[in-house]
């Protein structure tokens, strides 16, 4: 069954449309949604079958995939991440919501994919009202990867919701049109050693928060 293309206003997302997206997630569906960087593909963090399907789309093995958890705010972080010190927390509190993925040690509660216990988790709180309202209404984070496949991916195919819909309509259940997206990914920062090690420079500048 082909996906639905759902247009949602990025500044004032209507509640009925947010609930429509949440219903898809609750049924184990995959959604494509806007963030403050590139469009992402996401699903229920606790639905292993949905996560496996998401990994297949990107050609990843679930047990090896570096998937991010999209959170509404910082309140869920301690559920999935372990060993966050006060100095580190103060920095991420200033930086989020924003275009960063912070890597932490995984807590015992972090879901297993492919039967493998995760050693680390990547946490995202995008500065985007649509996805934050979806996650807030859903009640738990969603697991996510970007639609951007490589540096060579044509910009319009990851920024234009109509073209994203054409490409993924047979692979996912719902594509949100929240306006044009970006083509620069999030900045990845490793915090596992109680420090801020830059893994990938993307849109965000972590230096301004240190």
């Amino acid at each position: 069954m082909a996906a639905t293309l759902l247009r949602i206003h990025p500044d004032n997302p209507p509640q009925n449309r947010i609930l429509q997206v949440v219903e898809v997630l609750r049924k184990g569906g995959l959604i494509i949604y806007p963030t403050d960087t590139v469009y992402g593909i996401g699903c229920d963090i606790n639905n292993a079958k949905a996560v496996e399907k998401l990994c297949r789309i990107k050609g990843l093995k679930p047990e090896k995939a570096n998937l991010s958890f999209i959170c509404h705010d910082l309140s869920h972080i301690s559920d999935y991440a372990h060993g966050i010190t006060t100095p580190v927390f103060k920095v991420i509190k200033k930086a989020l919501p924003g275009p960063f993925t912070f890597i932490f040690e995984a807590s015992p509660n972090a879901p297993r994919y492919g039967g493998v216990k995760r050693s680390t988790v990547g946490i995202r709180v995008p500065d985007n009202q649509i996805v934050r309202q979806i996650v807030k209404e859903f009640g738990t984070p969603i697991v996510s990867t970007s639609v951007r496949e490589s540096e060579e991916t044509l910009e319009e195919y990851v920024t234009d919701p109509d073209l994203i819909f054409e490409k993924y309509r047979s692979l996912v259940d719902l594509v949100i049109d929240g306006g044009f997206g970006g083509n620069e990914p999030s900045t990845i920062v490793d915090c596992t050693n109680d420090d801020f090690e830059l893994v990938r420079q993307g849109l965000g500048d972590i230096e301004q928060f240190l």
Side-chain angles (χ1 to χ4, degrees):
M1 194 174 97
T4 302
L5 180 64
L6 186 67
R7 300 189 194 280
I8 300 181
H9 195 283
D11 299 324
N12 298 296
Q15 179 73 354
N16 63 328
R17 300 210 167 190
I18 295 295
L19 291 173
Q20 195 175 332
V21 179
V22 167
E23 189 60 27
V24 171
L25 289 170
R26 289 199 172 124
K27 289 178 177 175
L30 268 60
I31 66 167
I32 291 180
Y33 58 89
T35 72
D36 50 357
T37 56
V38 298
Y39 267 79
I41 311 173
C43 64
D44 181 354
I45 196 173
N46 295 311
N47 188 317
K49 281 188 177 177
V51 173
E52 284 170 18
K53 187 178 175 185
L54 182 148
C55 288
R56 278 200 305 275
I57 289 173
K58 291 294 293 272
L60 304 169
K61 292 186 175 179
E63 65 274 17
K64 293 183 178 177
N66 291 319
L67 303 169
S68 300
F69 296 172
I70 304 282
C71 303
H72 168 255
D73 55 24
L74 298 180
S75 59
H76 278 292
I77 285 184
S78 60
D79 295 341
Y80 304 102
H82 180 67
I84 303 174
T85 63
T86 300
V88 168
F89 188 80
K90 282 181 177 176
V91 171
I92 65 171
K93 191 174 181 183
K94 284 190 288 184
L96 298 175
F100 299 96
T101 301
F102 289 105
I103 298 173
F104 300 104
E105 285 181 31
S107 79
N109 298 330
R112 297 172 178 232
Y113 302 130
V116 175
K117 185 183 185 305
R118 310 184 73 74
S119 59
T120 60
V121 292
I123 300 289
R124 277 271 277 136
V125 183
D127 189 11
N128 179 281
Q129 283 301 315
I130 295 173
V131 69
R132 288 182 67 210
Q133 289 305 316
I134 289 166
V135 173
K136 184 180 182 183
E137 195 65 48
F138 188 49
T140 60
I142 58 174
V143 68
S144 176
T145 184
S146 73
V147 298
R148 184 177 183 270
E149 291 167 358
S150 71
E151 297 291 341
E152 289 75 42
T153 306
L154 287 172
E155 183 173 339
E156 57 267 30
Y157 279 98
V158 292
T159 59
D160 184 333
D162 289 319
L163 293 177
I164 292 171
F165 178 66
E166 287 304 318
K167 182 175 181 181
Y168 287 97
R169 63 189 301 170
S170 63
L171 300 172
V172 302
D173 300 278
L174 186 144
V175 177
I176 296 168
D177 176 356
F180 271 75
N183 194 35
E184 195 171 1
S186 66
T187 292
I188 301 176
V189 183
D190 188 337
C191 302
T192 54
N193 293 318
D194 197 20
D195 197 5
F196 296 92
E197 182 185 340
L198 189 65
V199 177
R200 178 184 73 192
Q201 182 62 58
L203 188 61
D205 177 14
I206 193 61
E207 291 295 326
Q208 64 180 306
F209 300 104
L210 298 181

